[in-house]
Amino acid sequence: MDFYIKALGAVELRRFSNDDGSIHVSELSVNGTIFHVHEEKESAGQFSPLRCNGSTVLIGLFVNDVDEYMNRAIAAGATVITPAQDYDYGYRQGEVRDPFGHIWMFEKKL
């Protein structure tokens, strides 16, 4: 959860842990938007992107300053997929892969 707190400015609202202390689910908020991060659950077909060597999901997060979020994510350990840039369809966007393999697109309508 430290990555999301450092990179996205997330606030952890609550956490449910397993008996061994590992995290079952963490509820986080970024700018008032709540999302959950769950553990892998093989029986339900929910796998870590690192385990699958890829991701089937791109998480688009609308932010006020794409470059700020890109820089914070990189400083917290993300790798750049696509640098932040303006597109002719009226958006500024950049993509990173977080340390867990999840892909984030930071975006803003111009």
Side-chain angles (χ1 to χ4, degrees):
M1 298 313 107
D2 289 343
F3 171 81
Y4 301 113
I5 292 166
K6 291 176 186 172
L8 307 178
V11 174
E12 188 174 42
L13 302 175
R14 58 188 177 154
R15 175 184 290 194
F16 299 95
S17 298
N18 298 310
D19 291 338
D20 65 1
S22 62
I23 299 170
H24 171 67
V25 63
S26 176
E27 183 174 274
L28 301 139
S29 173
V30 175
N31 295 329
T33 299
I34 296 172
F35 67 99
H36 290 166
V37 177
H38 290 258
E39 67 183 343
E40 278 190 301
K41 188 174 180 185
E42 189 172 341
S43 64
Q46 300 166 352
F47 302 104
S48 161
L50 296 177
R51 180 187 230 208
C52 299
N53 197 29
S55 178
T56 61
V57 176
L58 181 144
I59 305 161
L61 183 64
F62 282 83
V63 297
N64 290 330
D65 187 336
V66 171
D67 297 285
E68 176 188 343
Y69 275 78
M70 291 287 292
N71 291 333
R72 285 173 45 183
I74 293 162
T79 56
V80 175
I81 296 172
T82 305
Q85 56 191 308
D86 295 342
Y87 289 92
D88 58 3
Y89 49 82
Y91 284 83
R92 181 164 185 78
Q93 298 170 318
E95 293 179 21
V96 298
R97 184 180 317 275
D98 74 22
F100 314 103
H102 302 288
I103 300 171
W104 293 82
M105 177 189 290
F106 302 121
E107 50 192 327
K108 177 182 180 174
K109 188 171 182 179
L110 298 173

